[in-house]
Amino acid sequence: ALKGHNSRIFAVAFSPDGTMLASGSDDETVRLWNANTGQCCNILRGHRDWVRTVAFSPDQQLLASGSEDHTIRLWEIQTGQCRTVLSGHKSWIQSVTFSPNGKILVSGSEDRTIKLWHLETGTCLKTLKGHTSRVLAVALSPDGSLLASASDDQTIKLWNLETGEVQATLNGHTDCVWAVAFSPDGHSLASGSDDQTVILWHIAPPDPAPPRMILAGHRDRIRSVAFHPAGTLLASASDDETIRLWDAATGECLNILRTKKPYEGLNITGVTGLTDAQKLTLKALGAID
């Protein structure tokens, strides 16, 4: 267990070579960890509110962090110094991602916009508008040509990164969309929603109404989706306290990963001396009544 933050941890990201882990927390800090030893290498301070998202640059020289203080900070990995503060969003930053060539940073915000930042100058190149509610996640295709954004407006938009134009709007979810991820070949896009489903969209070439596969099984909102590097597996993480592994070709659920609760299966039926609050706590920890 990696211990050090003193409040909720909202975001984690591995460095491209897998040797470092970054974490962002409600305690307003970003921590860098040695992924092999679990040792905290540095604590990055500067944000003035919760840190919602973190991402490494492809060359591992920079770390981007987005916060509820409406700013994005670019940190130098080697020194831990903040190189640039990117200001312009009018609300919380929910998601950041680097372009594959490392020259552009993309950010999605609760102000309903997406911004493209030029990293050398720290200037905003474009502001993309189209969603009618907060933007909760952004992801770039492996070749950097296509941007996907997920929103509380129940849609996913596909943008041409060069022109900033919407190429397609994907409708299918019936509630807030929290997560998007491209497959390694860029031909598929996965999305996770409050409607408790994962949708696998086939977008090669992008189509206004691409074929889709709905993956059902979770019992609460889906917060995150990720493809295996080989592209054969898709993982989804949910508030139902499980991770599901899906066959990316067929949509079959191959495995459900779940941690056993401390009082899993403990029968407290008829047990006396417990207050209602204590019973609720025990049941939340796995007891049955």
Side-chain angles (χ1 to χ4, degrees):
L2 309 184
K3 298 181 179 180
H5 287 294
N6 56 32
S7 191
R8 293 183 300 174
I9 299 166
F10 259 111
V12 289
F14 276 106
S15 60
D17 68 1
T19 62
M20 287 183 290
L21 179 74
S23 56
S25 169
D26 280 6
D27 64 13
E28 304 179 6
T29 71
V30 177
R31 285 179 178 255
L32 292 175
W33 310 83
N34 182 309
N36 296 315
T37 66
Q39 180 182 1
C40 180
C41 307
N42 213 336
I43 303 174
L44 312 181
R45 294 184 171 92
H47 282 297
R48 297 181 180 179
D49 211 327
W50 300 351
V51 180
R52 286 278 187 172
T53 177
V54 290
F56 283 92
S57 63
D59 62 6
Q60 298 188 186
Q61 298 301 305
L62 295 175
L63 179 79
S65 59
S67 169
E68 293 196 7
D69 65 11
H70 304 184
T71 70
I72 301 154
R73 286 179 175 260
L74 297 177
W75 310 87
E76 295 178 353
I77 299 295
Q78 288 189 341
T79 65
Q81 296 298 308
C82 179
R83 192 180 85 173
T84 311
V85 178
L86 306 179
S87 300
H89 280 296
K90 297 178 181 178
S91 191
W92 304 352
I93 315 299
Q94 287 282 9
S95 183
V96 292
T97 188
F98 285 89
S99 62
N101 63 13
K103 294 181 179 181
I104 294 173
L105 183 77
V106 181
S107 58
S109 169
E110 297 222 350
D111 66 10
R112 305 181 182 184
T113 71
I114 300 154
K115 288 184 180 291
L116 310 183
W117 306 89
H118 187 268
L119 293 179
E120 284 190 10
T121 62
T123 56
C124 179
L125 297 172
K126 292 174 185 173
T127 299
L128 310 183
K129 298 178 180 180
H131 284 293
T132 59
S133 189
R134 54 185 179 157
V135 178
L136 297 173
V138 290
L140 283 168
S141 61
D143 65 3
S145 65
L146 202 60
L147 167 67
S149 58
S151 172
D152 209 355
D153 65 13
Q154 304 180 14
T155 72
I156 298 128
K157 288 186 181 292
L158 299 178
W159 309 77
N160 182 306
L161 196 67
E162 185 176 351
T163 66
E165 297 296 321
V166 175
Q167 196 158 304
T169 298
L170 309 183
N171 295 285
H173 285 295
T174 58
D175 211 329
C176 167
V177 187
W178 280 97
V180 282
F182 281 96
S183 61
D185 62 8
H187 293 173
S188 298
L189 182 80
S191 57
S193 168
D194 267 4
D195 66 12
Q196 304 179 18
T197 70
V198 175
I199 296 183
L200 193 58
W201 311 83
H202 300 288
I203 56 171
D207 187 290
R212 65 178 188 264
M213 206 163 25
I214 299 176
L215 313 182
H218 280 296
R219 297 181 179 180
D220 209 331
R221 74 170 47 137
I222 295 155
R223 295 277 192 177
S224 182
V225 289
F227 281 92
H228 185 277
T232 54
L233 288 178
L234 174 68
S236 57
S238 167
D239 280 6
D240 66 10
E241 302 179 7
T242 70
I243 299 166
R244 286 179 176 254
L245 299 180
W246 311 85
D247 185 308
T250 66
E252 178 188 359
C253 182
L254 302 176
N255 204 352
I256 301 173
L257 309 181
R258 179 176 172 273
T259 301
K260 189 175 181 180
K261 296 182 178 181
Y263 296 100
E264 191 85 41
L266 176 66
N267 194 328
I268 58 174
T269 303
V271 174
T272 59
L274 294 175
T275 66
D276 288 343
Q278 288 171 330
K279 286 183 179 180
L280 285 172
T281 300
L282 286 170
K283 286 196 283 186
L285 296 172
I288 56 176
D289 183 6

